[in-house]
Amino acid sequence: MTRLLTKDEIEVKVKKVTPTGILLLLYKTARTDMDILDETYGAENWQSDYKEIKGNLYAGIGVKDKDSGNWVWKWDCGIESRADGDGNEKKGEASDAFKRAGFKWGIGRELYTAPFIWVSSDVVPTEGTKLKDPYEQFFVSRIEYKNNEISKLTICGKHNREVWSNSREQQPKENPQNNKNSDIAQNTPKYPTAGQFKAMLSFCDTEDEIRIKLNEQRDNPQLYELVKLATERKEEINKKNRQAEIGAAIDELQKQVEAQ
């Protein structure tokens, strides 16, 4: 089993920008996977491979069993990147497939336990669907784990300015009559709303990821509504997979016709 990621090995990206705030996601790079594989198994004891199945690119990571000397492989498919004008869509798909195969080996699996990271536009200004500061970047300044799950997390922006955290130490309760912000604090929702949960599901690409996110909300009073949203997202993924399979089958038939 591989070790947990350090704060310097976790990247932060902006998933969505709205007039009221931004949604941040945690992720790892393929380079991090390679470094941890080298560290855990030795550079000469692991390898990678790629293959296309029904139009989908799969990456495999093979690790040599130290006792038998046999290679153990774990595979997963990737998602093609959005067009960037430079033709890097397939490169992004290969990298994504490799990182997903890395998850199968346990590398960064704790990222699936990341909290919902929503930053208000009062903290990070936005202009419509864009950041007011196009050069704004974010990073993890603190992370702690409990039972292999993220328990404390702090995100900072430019100039080391804290923009989001669940890591603050518990403070003594103040007299509500002397604290003008007490009503706001008491009314802060403990669980994400249905709209926020739908945004969380938007970056889930497999049924397992959906199941993990839904399980985190098992005590949410809106669970019934969240189950409906999770089911809808699951159907979207299944529809997309079916379309990919049909497209691959058509391409194969065209190749056969051209070969005749």
Side-chain angles (χ1 to χ4, degrees):
M1 187 67 179
T2 57
R3 61 168 174 77
L4 299 172
L5 298 178
T6 67
K7 64 182 181 65
D8 296 326
E9 293 171 327
I10 300 174
E11 306 288 333
V12 181
K13 68 178 178 181
V14 178
K15 175 65 177 179
K16 187 175 183 180
V17 180
T18 74
T20 59
I22 60 175
L23 175 65
L24 299 179
L25 298 181
L26 307 183
Y27 72 101
K28 60 186 174 75
T29 66
R31 186 177 296 106
T32 293
D33 288 60
M34 296 175 190
D35 290 341
I36 291 180
L37 286 166
D38 285 349
E39 173 189 321
T40 305
Y41 304 107
E44 71 283 0
N45 293 320
W46 72 272
Q47 59 178 310
S48 61
D49 195 8
Y50 296 86
K51 58 185 177 183
E52 188 174 319
I53 301 176
K54 295 183 179 181
N56 296 316
L57 182 64
Y58 280 74
I61 296 178
V63 174
K64 183 184 291 186
D65 183 85
K66 62 181 180 180
D67 296 323
S68 66
N70 297 326
W71 289 91
V72 179
W73 287 87
K74 296 186 179 182
W75 297 78
D76 208 336
C77 65
I79 297 177
E80 188 173 295
S81 300
R82 293 183 179 179
D84 62 359
D86 296 322
N88 291 318
E89 294 84 0
K90 288 296 181 182
K91 180 180 178 182
E93 183 180 11
S95 177
D96 186 59
F98 183 83
K99 289 186 291 182
R100 289 174 181 272
F103 277 123
K104 293 289 184 67
W105 282 103
I107 303 174
R109 196 176 294 172
E110 59 273 18
L111 295 181
Y112 285 130
T113 69
F116 183 70
I117 308 173
W118 177 261
V119 182
S120 169
S121 57
D122 293 334
V123 179
V124 177
T126 62
E127 293 181 342
T129 58
K130 295 182 179 180
L131 293 174
K132 186 174 183 179
D133 182 355
Y135 300 104
E136 180 72 87
Q137 293 182 327
F138 306 96
F139 64 94
V140 176
S141 63
R142 178 186 182 186
I143 190 167
E144 294 182 15
Y145 301 99
K146 183 176 182 180
N147 298 325
N148 294 331
E149 296 184 358
I150 297 174
S151 59
K152 292 185 178 181
L153 178 70
T154 300
I155 307 292
C156 288
K158 288 175 63 176
H159 310 301
N160 295 322
R161 183 172 66 93
E162 182 181 306
V163 299
W164 188 94
S165 180
N166 66 354
S167 305
R168 298 182 183 88
E169 301 299 333
Q170 190 71 28
Q171 299 295 327
K173 293 184 178 180
E174 299 182 24
N175 187 333
Q177 294 180 350
N178 298 327
N179 183 5
K180 63 180 180 180
N181 294 320
S182 62
D183 290 339
I184 297 176
Q186 291 173 7
N187 292 326
T188 300
K190 180 180 179 181
Y191 301 101
T193 64
Q196 292 173 331
F197 186 70
K198 186 175 182 179
M200 294 169 64
L201 292 175
S202 67
F203 59 88
C204 292
D205 299 309
T206 66
E207 292 186 20
D208 284 342
E209 293 175 5
I210 293 175
R211 191 177 299 110
I212 290 171
K213 289 300 179 186
L214 188 59
N215 187 57
E216 293 173 354
Q217 304 301 319
R218 57 185 178 274
D219 297 325
N220 193 319
Q222 301 184 75
L223 183 59
Y224 179 76
E225 181 66 23
L226 303 190
V227 169
K228 291 197 297 183
L229 293 173
T231 301
E232 291 173 0
R233 179 57 181 163
K234 176 182 175 182
E235 292 175 350
E236 289 177 4
I237 294 173
N238 289 337
K239 181 179 179 180
K240 181 179 179 180
N241 291 337
R242 286 195 298 270
Q243 290 175 339
E245 292 177 359
I246 293 172
I250 292 174
D251 291 341
E252 184 63 29
L253 287 173
Q254 289 178 337
K255 291 178 181 179
Q256 293 177 6
V257 171
E258 293 171 358
Q260 292 179 355

